[in-house]
Amino acid sequence: MSRAIAGISILALRYYTAAMKAISIKLPDPLFHDLAQRAKSSASTQSEIIRTALVAYLQNDAQASTASCADRASRWVGMAQGPEDLSTNPEHLRGFGQ
């Protein structure tokens, strides 16, 4: 084995064992074949594609979970017809809390 190849394999071994934890996942056949095809066409590893997708999913999920109720409902604000503010209009508060 040449010295250059030995160096690469040592670096690869160090990269995968020290910095990464291994997991096992189960994929349905169609998803597995799509993953294999994407890895082959993009010259990436299946692991790299899964890591990238997982990071994007977790970042998106974290951003979604920090949104307030008002942020989530903002697209519907102002869509309905009716009084501007029920909470301060005495006409709509008559009998409230009795």
Side-chain angles (χ1 to χ4, degrees), residues 43-66:
S44 296
T45 64
Q46 292 176 3
S47 294
E48 188 175 348
I49 293 169
I50 292 170
R51 277 192 300 272
T52 302
L54 186 56
V55 166
Y57 173 80
L58 292 174
Q59 286 176 344
N60 187 34
D61 189 51
Q63 290 170 355
S65 66
T66 59

Side-chain angles (χ1 to χ4, degrees), residues 6-69:
I8 290 172
S9 50
I10 289 170
L11 288 175
L13 182 62
R14 207 183 284 157
Y15 176 74
Y16 285 111
T17 57
M20 307 251 184
K21 300 287 184 192
I23 64 167
S24 175
I25 62 171
K26 296 179 182 180
L27 301 173
D29 283 342
L31 185 56
F32 175 78
H33 292 298
D34 289 347
L35 175 62
Q37 190 72 12
R38 175 68 60 94
K40 190 174 184 177
S41 67
S42 66
S44 296
T45 64
Q46 292 176 3
S47 294
E48 188 175 348
I49 293 169
I50 292 170
R51 277 192 300 272
T52 302
L54 186 56
V55 166
Y57 173 80
L58 292 174
Q59 286 176 344
N60 187 34
D61 189 51
Q63 290 170 355
S65 66
T66 59
S68 69
C69 184

